[in-house]
Amino acid sequence: MLLSQRNKSGATFTLLGFSDYPELQVPLFLVFLAIYSVTVVGNLGMIVIIKMNSRLHTPMYFFLSHLSFVDFCYSSSIVPRMLVNLIVEDRTISFSGCAVQFFFFCTFVVTESLLLAVMAYDRFVAICNPLLYTVAMSQRLCAMLVTGSYAWGVACSLTFTCSALRLSFHDFNTIDHFFCEFSSLLSLSCSDTYVNQLLLFIFATFNVVSTLLIILTSYVFIVVTILKMRSASGRRKAFSTCASHLTAITIFHGTILFLYCVPNSKNSRHTVKVASVFYTVVIPMLNPLIYSLRNKDVKNTISKMLGTK
């Protein structure tokens, strides 16, 4: 009971981050600040561009605008704190602060994985059933798919966060990471974490397997449909509409699957940190670049915006 009370009031956590490399603190700060700046400008800019150009008011860009919003949010739940910890001596965070950070991060990461699956289904309908696309992907269905993605993200995050709130911790704890990762919290707890680990395994496995199954199934039908096309230009156009999405999926799920495969040992902590930097800092920056550089409508809108200035 005493530990539970300390958990809710006075327990603190020190985020070690990259403190093993004091000589790299300032260079890392500058690099991550630059990346985060591009992330903010790129993702918020993508939302504005989609809003301004009426030609982009389609289901694909509706989902892309929400993907940009999610990228901005989940990066913002991690990077600002990480930047501060790179330049200050005191890297402590309260248990409540840790729980809030994890809640928002988990919400938006799960939502992103679902949105990528939804976007795969959208490409499947657009390529395999083009004549029925506007009917099948109605505004109501698009809104329901996006709302469901956010709702499931919140549900998963609430489940993990509430289960973490029941754990007990010592007054002072050290997390060998740059943010409050759920598995790190479990390893520091004085309580029995069997239920928490079981929940983590069930939800993580379900989310990864279900989203990948939707994505793979959609793209199997897409590839079969494209190969049946007689026109070479039609095949190129169909492939080009999927290229950006396939790149985003490969980077996002590839990084997560890599983290699943890393063995749990002290030597692997640096590898985990680097991979975590990639999906918390780099991927949110890459997504708007991936979707804008290969898209004529987006590039034309950017050119018009710059031209008016």
Side-chain angles (χ1 to χ4, degrees), residues 35 39 43 67 71-72 74-75 112 116 247-256 275-290:
I35 293 175
T39 299
N43 285 292
L67 183 70
D71 277 332
F72 165 73
Y74 95 71
S75 179
E112 169 135 354
L116 288 172
T247 304
I249 288 172
T250 302
I251 295 172
F252 181 80
H253 281 284
T255 306
I256 291 178
S276 298
V277 164
F278 197 76
Y279 84 88
T280 58
V281 181
V282 179
I283 288 178
M285 176 197 70
L286 290 179
N287 279 345
L289 297 177
I290 290 169

Side-chain angles (χ1 to χ4, degrees), residues 38-95:
V38 174
T39 299
V40 173
V41 173
N43 285 292
L44 296 184
M46 182 65 76
I47 295 172
V48 172
I49 288 168
I50 293 171
K51 188 74 175 176
M52 288 180 59
N53 191 342
S54 58
R55 293 184 62 183
L56 302 181
H57 294 174
T58 62
M60 182 179 77
Y61 291 104
F62 174 70
F63 297 134
L64 180 56
S65 66
H66 282 279
L67 183 70
S68 294
F69 173 72
V70 167
D71 277 332
F72 165 73
C73 288
Y74 95 71
S75 179
S76 297
S77 68
I78 300 296
V79 180
R81 179 80 196 190
M82 182 177 67
L83 290 173
V84 171
N85 287 346
L86 283 168
I87 57 175
V88 299
E89 292 294 330
D90 184 12
R91 299 184 177 90
T92 58
I93 183 172
S94 65
F95 178 74

Side-chain angles (χ1 to χ4, degrees), residues 8-305:
K8 295 176 183 178
S9 57
T12 59
F13 299 84
T14 299
L15 298 170
L16 293 182
F18 303 95
S19 57
D20 292 343
Y21 307 98
E23 71 282 0
L24 294 178
Q25 299 297 293
V26 174
L28 285 175
F29 173 83
L30 295 175
V31 170
F32 292 152
L33 178 62
I35 293 175
Y36 182 62
S37 299
V38 174
T39 299
V40 173
V41 173
N43 285 292
L44 296 184
M46 182 65 76
I47 295 172
V48 172
I49 288 168
I50 293 171
K51 188 74 175 176
M52 288 180 59
N53 191 342
S54 58
R55 293 184 62 183
L56 302 181
H57 294 174
T58 62
M60 182 179 77
Y61 291 104
F62 174 70
F63 297 134
L64 180 56
S65 66
H66 282 279
L67 183 70
S68 294
F69 173 72
V70 167
D71 277 332
F72 165 73
C73 288
Y74 95 71
S75 179
S76 297
S77 68
I78 300 296
V79 180
R81 179 80 196 190
M82 182 177 67
L83 290 173
V84 171
N85 287 346
L86 283 168
I87 57 175
V88 299
E89 292 294 330
D90 184 12
R91 299 184 177 90
T92 58
I93 183 172
S94 65
F95 178 74
S96 57
C98 217
V100 169
Q101 184 189 58
F102 171 75
F103 171 79
F104 284 107
F105 172 72
C106 181
T107 296
F108 291 115
V109 168
V110 173
T111 302
E112 169 135 354
S113 67
L114 292 173
L115 282 176
L116 288 172
V118 167
M119 292 172 75
Y121 174 73
D122 171 71
R123 291 299 82 207
F124 157 71
V125 177
I127 293 173
C128 299
N129 298 286
L131 298 178
L132 298 175
Y133 179 64
T134 54
V135 176
M137 299 302 294
S138 63
Q139 288 186 350
R140 183 171 180 271
L141 177 62
C142 291
M144 288 175 61
L145 290 171
V146 168
T147 302
S149 298
Y150 284 112
W152 181 247
V154 171
C156 290
S157 189
L158 272 176
T159 302
F160 292 138
T161 305
C162 290
S163 69
L165 291 174
R166 300 174 62 87
L167 299 175
S168 301
F169 298 90
H170 293 296
D171 285 335
F172 303 101
N173 307 272
T174 300
I175 297 178
D176 189 12
H177 217 312
F178 57 85
F179 71 101
C180 294
E181 185 196 25
F182 190 68
S183 58
S184 298
L185 289 175
L186 296 185
S187 65
L188 293 171
S189 176
C190 306
S191 310
D192 182 8
T193 60
Y194 173 77
V195 174
N196 305 77
Q197 291 174 345
L198 184 62
L199 286 173
L200 178 61
F201 175 78
I202 292 172
F203 277 87
T205 302
F206 174 78
N207 288 334
V208 171
V209 172
S210 61
T211 53
L212 282 178
L213 188 62
I214 293 170
I215 291 167
L216 291 173
T217 302
S218 297
Y219 273 101
V220 165
F221 283 104
I222 288 171
V223 169
V224 170
T225 301
I226 291 175
L227 292 177
K228 289 180 179 179
M229 293 180 179
R230 296 180 180 179
S231 168
S233 61
R235 286 197 296 268
R236 283 196 300 271
K237 184 178 179 180
F239 272 121
S240 67
T241 61
C242 299
S244 298
H245 184 244
L246 271 174
T247 304
I249 288 172
T250 302
I251 295 172
F252 181 80
H253 281 284
T255 306
I256 291 178
L257 290 173
F258 172 78
L259 285 171
Y260 264 81
C261 296
V262 173
N264 188 16
S265 66
K266 289 184 178 180
N267 295 331
S268 67
R269 294 308 300 171
H270 295 296
T271 306
V272 169
K273 285 182 187 179
V274 172
S276 298
V277 164
F278 197 76
Y279 84 88
T280 58
V281 181
V282 179
I283 288 178
M285 176 197 70
L286 290 179
N287 279 345
L289 297 177
I290 290 169
Y291 282 99
S292 62
L293 292 176
R294 296 185 58 88
N295 191 292
K296 290 182 180 179
D297 291 328
V298 172
K299 287 191 286 187
N300 290 339
T301 305
I302 294 172
S303 298
K304 289 180 182 178
M305 290 173 64

